[in-house]
Amino acid sequence: MTRTPPPSSPDEPAQDAPRVGPPQRAAAGLPAVGHALRAAHREMGVRRTALTLARVNQEDGFDCPGCAWPEPERRHAAEFCENGVKAVAEEATRARVTPAFFARHPVGDLAGRSGYWLGKQGRLTHPVYLAEGADRYEPVSWERAFDIVARELHGLASPDEAVFYTSGRTSNEAAFLYQLFAREFGTNNLPDCSNMCHESSGAALTETLGVGKGSVSLADLHQADLVIVAGQNPGTNHPRMLSALERAKRGGARIVTVNPLPEAGTERFRNPQTLRGLAGAGTPLTDLFLQIRIGGDQALFRMLGRLVIEAGGVDEEFVAAHTDGYDAFAAAAREATWEETLRATGLARADVERAARMVLDSRRTVVCWAMGLTQHRHAVATIREVVNLLLLRGAVGRPGAGVCPVRGHSNVQGDRTMGIVERPAPAFLDALQHEFGFAPPRAHGLDTVEAIRALRDGRAHVFFALGGNFVAASPDTHVTEDAMRRARLTVHVSTKLNRSHVVTGARALILPTLGRTERDVRAGGEQFVTVEDSMGVVHASRGRLAPASPALLSEPAIVARLARRVLGAASRTPWEEFEADYGTVRDRIARVIPGFEDFGARVARPGGFVLPHPPRDERRFPTATGKARFTAAPVHHPHLPEGRLLLQTLRSHDQYNTTVYGLDDRYRGIRGGRRVVLVHPEDARELGLPDGSRADLTSEWHDGTERTAPGFRVVHYPTARGCAAAYFPETNVLVPLDATAETSNTPASKSVVIRLTPA
């Protein structure tokens, strides 16, 4: 049964007026169960909720469309978290956005709505087209939609005038076909959401270890002696990680949390899968909380390296056999001073020394991190410093030890493995050429930031997005929106409405697609897709719900049909065969991408298979020198002018990336609104900002650039001194397009110098 949005769907609030109470000191437990079930019932109803949640993250079910955290070997019947339930409910909602909806709502009306309101309207049911000069989308057939795209692409002066963006929810099969189509069309313009999140991790790890992915398994985390969680809030962003930390803790591990904000999830975890978690006190997780000043992580890890060297804690056998660059790093580490370290980090010397003793006492250390480390100008150097510390202790390629960048979207890592990258390796292009008989382009393409610049400057004219919410996810909101409006055609393959659909080129298409929860029946029968989790495990995903509309196509089908229409008879690629049977796609992946040999048979096994990782598996490091590499970059940290604060952007608990599930952030004590700025009470008093007052946020950059986001409620909050926090995408406007990390070009959204002006 379909329905229009219920009367209880939220109207646009006249004013963002959040209610603020004390932050919580523990995550999950019975309240999380209640919130999850209420969200599920509201969107799906009782029967649909029961049918759907029974399949989430199960071997015969579908992969949660939320985060990329791996499944344990023994899966619980409820192998999901609160925010996973919200993600599933958003996709499996009974609400529908039909052509009648677009007839009622001109684009101008939709553009004035919040992303929250847009998302709550329901699932898209039919392709729709916004003609040039028109004021609203109108229904269009699939064939006409593909003709519109093909005509625009054929009219370009060069294939490089097109941009093909990808979101992390895209399956391996769809991602492989997408990059194949783009390269056969003639461009490497394949930016993706990795450019805005873990690009810094990939750059640092590829240089130092030879593989741009994490080196640990879930079993390694369980076996660790010490887990350092830096720049990450697993209680909201990767809640199932808390179960792994709890298991590690019960196995004797100690946990160090490095973060500017105290977060409920890393303080105490009430596991909702256990009686102790539901009815008891739960498990304290953090043994040492280092409330670091924003951007001070590189200085912290450099000092920890110095202290390990001075204490004689270097694994000399490992360093001699498997690394290079040690002498230069050791010389740089010995030059680290306490004065600079404490100024950069805001920490007490005794706490840093305690952390160093914990590192020295641990043979098996895992360092986990997320956006809090990757979105700074010096992010790549910071992650190299993490690697330095682990190499000193021989903590790579050892059970229970290694690097653990925690990915966000459920297949963002798989997309990269499939070739969604603007700078492809020559070996990958050689394999494509051998398998498909065409010469792929070799020139580097555009990443996310460069794609926005190209659209802004008139060097790109067509923007095609396979999933995601590009406009809301990107920095420098006004510049990004103006750039998109300069395009001749914007196309979005989506399940639900978002901000990107109402910031259009001269013409625009919305192409609705199946979700993870839905059955996918093609000419070759019922299909499944595959994904790669954050720890390199590839497994199957099979939807079970009836599609939201009979007019929907799957992402592989959309790409295959578009490729047939654009490339025509000149293409020797069997696009029609790929659309009919995804097994034929997996056969080609097996012949192109190392580690996927016998793909079809291996992924059919329960739990899937683990991709090879030479540093982890055999202490082999495929770097430029054949060894793991110490680095000795100068230590950087943000410098704060008088009367200013350092802002980090973050998610609320009712949010996943740019999808806002609700207006509450209950772990931080905030309800009913999102335009808040969290400021330490002492900093707020010095700035003359009482709790509950309103302020405009203005960012200040070294080149004199300023950006302003108006009308935020000041919340006195126990942040690190000199630091502040606010939600994205509301504060994306504060980050200029040119403010990016060195090497990775990732937007520097976690260290924004701001001034607060009473509103």
Side-chain angles (χ1 to χ4, degrees):
M1 182 181 78
T2 64
R3 62 179 175 88
T4 57
S8 58
S9 288
D11 294 324
E12 290 296 277
Q15 182 179 5
D16 193 317
R19 305 179 304 279
V20 178
Q24 297 184 15
R25 305 297 299 274
L30 197 57
V33 175
H35 281 276
L37 292 180
R38 282 193 293 275
H41 292 167
R42 183 170 57 248
E43 297 286 349
M44 299 186 290
V46 176
R47 182 175 180 275
R48 194 174 178 86
T49 292
L51 291 174
T52 305
L53 297 187
R55 297 284 188 175
V56 183
N57 294 325
Q58 300 300 323
E59 290 177 348
D60 61 346
F62 62 90
D63 195 67
C64 176
C67 78
W69 191 253
E71 281 70 60
E73 186 174 339
R74 291 187 176 183
R75 305 188 191 195
H76 194 278
E79 193 57 59
F80 48 78
C81 66
E82 175 190 346
N83 278 353
V85 172
K86 293 174 185 174
V88 169
E90 285 279 313
E91 180 180 292
T93 178
R94 295 171 297 166
R96 301 288 182 262
V97 173
T98 66
F101 172 90
F102 291 105
R104 293 194 305 271
H105 293 283
V107 173
D109 171 35
L110 297 176
R113 306 282 187 162
S114 70
Y116 173 50
W117 186 91
L118 292 172
K120 287 299 181 185
Q121 302 315 298
R123 287 290 301 279
L124 296 158
T125 62
H126 293 77
V128 290
Y129 174 51
L130 181 69
E132 188 166 5
D135 72 340
R136 66 196 70 207
Y137 283 99
E138 295 182 348
V140 64
S141 70
W142 280 104
E143 286 308 309
R144 184 168 177 236
F146 293 136
D147 283 344
I148 290 167
V149 180
R151 281 199 301 272
E152 203 64 58
L153 290 176
H154 289 156
L156 297 175
S158 162
D160 288 329
E161 293 181 355
V163 172
F164 297 96
Y165 176 76
T166 317
S167 156
R169 70 171 294 280
T170 302
S171 67
N172 287 328
E173 291 76 10
F176 184 79
L177 294 182
Y178 193 55
Q179 64 81 28
L180 179 62
F181 161 60
R183 292 190 166 108
E184 195 167 343
F185 177 64
T187 185
N188 282 317
N189 287 350
L190 285 158
D192 76 327
C193 53
S194 286
N195 295 145
M196 294 183 276
C197 56
H198 270 290
E199 192 72 48
S200 299
S201 300
L205 295 177
T206 299
E207 177 187 355
T208 57
L209 300 181
V211 177
K213 301 180 182 182
S215 68
V216 302
S217 67
L218 202 51
D220 288 322
L221 202 60
H222 296 159
Q223 298 168 22
D225 300 321
L226 176 66
V227 180
I228 300 175
V229 181
Q232 184 192 359
N233 175 19
T236 285
N237 301 331
H238 315 92
R240 288 192 301 138
M241 181 178 173
L242 298 180
S243 298
L245 294 177
E246 178 185 52
R247 181 167 171 179
K249 194 72 183 290
R250 292 189 176 176
R254 293 191 291 177
I255 296 174
V256 175
T257 298
V258 184
N259 206 48
L261 291 173
E263 300 287 11
T266 45
E267 287 193 52
R268 183 179 293 271
F269 176 46
R270 296 189 176 113
N271 190 336
Q273 296 179 345
T274 68
L275 183 60
R276 173 186 172 91
L278 287 173
T283 304
L285 293 181
T286 296
D287 295 279
L288 175 62
F289 176 39
L290 298 179
Q291 189 168 23
I292 197 164
R293 184 173 176 268
I294 292 171
D297 306 88
Q298 186 193 9
L300 170 65
F301 282 97
R302 176 64 61 88
M303 178 54 76
L304 292 177
R306 173 190 145 179
L307 295 176
V308 166
I309 292 170
E310 290 178 346
V314 177
D315 185 333
E316 295 180 357
E317 182 179 348
F318 172 84
V319 168
H322 297 291
T323 75
D324 62 17
Y326 171 75
D327 289 340
F329 166 73
R334 291 187 182 100
E335 293 177 359
T337 68
W338 278 109
E339 180 184 11
E340 184 69 11
T341 300
L342 301 184
R343 180 165 58 248
T345 64
L347 299 172
R349 176 169 176 167
D351 285 337
V352 177
E353 291 175 332
R354 183 182 171 196
R357 287 194 298 272
M358 294 169 77
V359 171
L360 289 163
D361 289 343
S362 169
R363 174 172 167 76
R364 299 170 297 188
T365 299
V366 173
V367 182
C368 306
W369 70 88
M371 304 304 98
L373 261 60
T374 66
Q375 294 182 326
H376 300 270
R377 183 160 182 80
H378 58 294
V380 175
T382 297
I383 296 163
R384 291 178 189 144
E385 210 63 46
V386 171
V387 174
N388 286 338
L389 180 65
L390 292 171
L391 293 180
L392 286 175
R393 299 289 294 151
V396 177
R398 173 185 294 162
V403 293
C404 185
V406 182
R407 303 280 179 168
H409 235 148
S410 63
N411 197 42
V412 63
Q413 186 161 293
D415 286 353
R416 276 300 171 87
T417 304
M418 292 296 107
I420 300 292
V421 59
E422 74 281 358
R423 295 172 176 246
F428 175 77
L429 297 179
D430 292 343
L432 276 184
Q433 183 167 352
H434 180 266
E435 182 64 28
F436 292 100
F438 73 95
R442 300 281 168 161
H444 290 166
L446 304 174
D447 64 14
T448 291
V449 169
E450 290 296 340
I452 296 169
R453 290 174 179 149
L455 289 163
R456 177 197 64 190
D457 299 340
R459 293 180 285 112
H461 303 290
V462 174
F463 179 87
F464 193 108
L466 192 62
N469 183 2
F470 185 83
V471 166
S474 298
D476 217 345
T477 306
H478 299 316
V479 171
T480 295
E481 292 189 354
D482 288 346
M484 296 297 284
R485 292 186 178 107
R486 292 174 180 265
R488 294 205 289 260
L489 176 68
T490 51
V491 186
H492 295 275
V493 178
S494 304
T495 58
K496 302 187 75 180
L497 276 178
N498 62 51
R499 178 69 181 166
S500 296
H501 301 140
V502 299
V503 180
T504 73
R507 298 187 290 161
L509 283 162
I510 304 174
L511 306 181
T513 189
L514 294 176
R516 289 269 182 87
T517 57
E518 292 167 321
R519 285 195 305 274
D520 184 1
V521 180
R522 312 304 314 152
E526 188 165 330
Q527 304 296 310
F528 69 89
V529 294
T530 62
V531 298
E532 178 186 348
D533 67 31
S534 196
M535 293 181 176
V537 180
V538 178
H539 59 275
S541 177
R542 298 174 176 84
R544 287 292 183 261
L545 296 178
S549 163
L552 301 184
L553 290 178
S554 68
E555 287 183 334
I558 291 171
V559 174
R561 290 192 188 186
L562 178 62
R564 287 209 314 271
R565 179 65 185 82
V566 172
L567 302 175
S571 175
R572 294 161 51 189
T573 303
W575 297 105
E576 191 168 359
E577 177 184 313
F578 289 162
E579 178 187 349
D581 183 357
Y582 305 163
T584 63
V585 182
R586 289 187 281 276
D587 290 343
R588 299 301 188 101
I589 292 171
R591 297 203 287 265
V592 170
I593 301 177
F596 284 83
E597 297 80 9
D598 201 17
F599 189 2
R602 292 165 72 203
V603 81
R605 300 169 191 159
F609 63 94
V610 181
L611 291 174
H613 191 289
R616 176 196 65 210
D617 300 336
E618 49 188 308
R619 282 192 162 176
R620 181 170 62 84
F621 300 93
T623 64
T625 63
K627 292 188 174 185
R629 305 184 67 184
F630 283 96
T631 54
V635 172
H636 292 289
H637 59 89
H639 294 279
L640 194 61
E642 186 71 24
R644 305 300 189 261
L645 298 175
L646 273 174
L647 176 77
Q648 62 171 330
T649 65
L650 42 73
R651 300 173 183 165
S652 78
H653 190 63
D654 266 357
Q655 177 180 0
Y656 188 76
N657 291 342
T658 60
T659 301
V660 178
Y661 304 135
L663 299 179
D664 294 345
D665 190 359
R666 72 175 191 279
Y667 288 161
R668 298 189 181 109
I670 298 165
R671 298 177 185 271
R674 293 181 51 81
R675 295 189 77 82
V676 297
V677 57
L678 312 182
V679 183
H680 192 281
E682 291 300 318
D683 291 325
R685 279 191 277 273
E686 289 175 6
L687 295 172
L689 295 169
D691 185 71
S693 61
R694 291 266 168 177
D696 298 337
L697 313 185
T698 299
S699 62
E700 300 177 346
W701 299 88
H702 60 87
D703 61 356
T705 298
E706 292 190 351
R707 300 284 191 274
T708 297
F712 282 70
R713 184 205 191 277
V714 175
V715 177
H716 289 191
Y717 201 85
T719 67
R721 287 298 308 270
C723 299
Y727 304 132
F728 70 83
E730 289 83 355
T731 49
N732 288 357
V733 66
L734 298 175
V735 185
L737 196 61
D738 296 332
T740 60
E742 296 173 347
T743 305
S744 69
N745 212 29
T746 296
S749 304
K750 293 295 186 286
S751 49
V752 182
V753 176
I754 61 168
R755 67 175 184 269
L756 277 69
T757 306

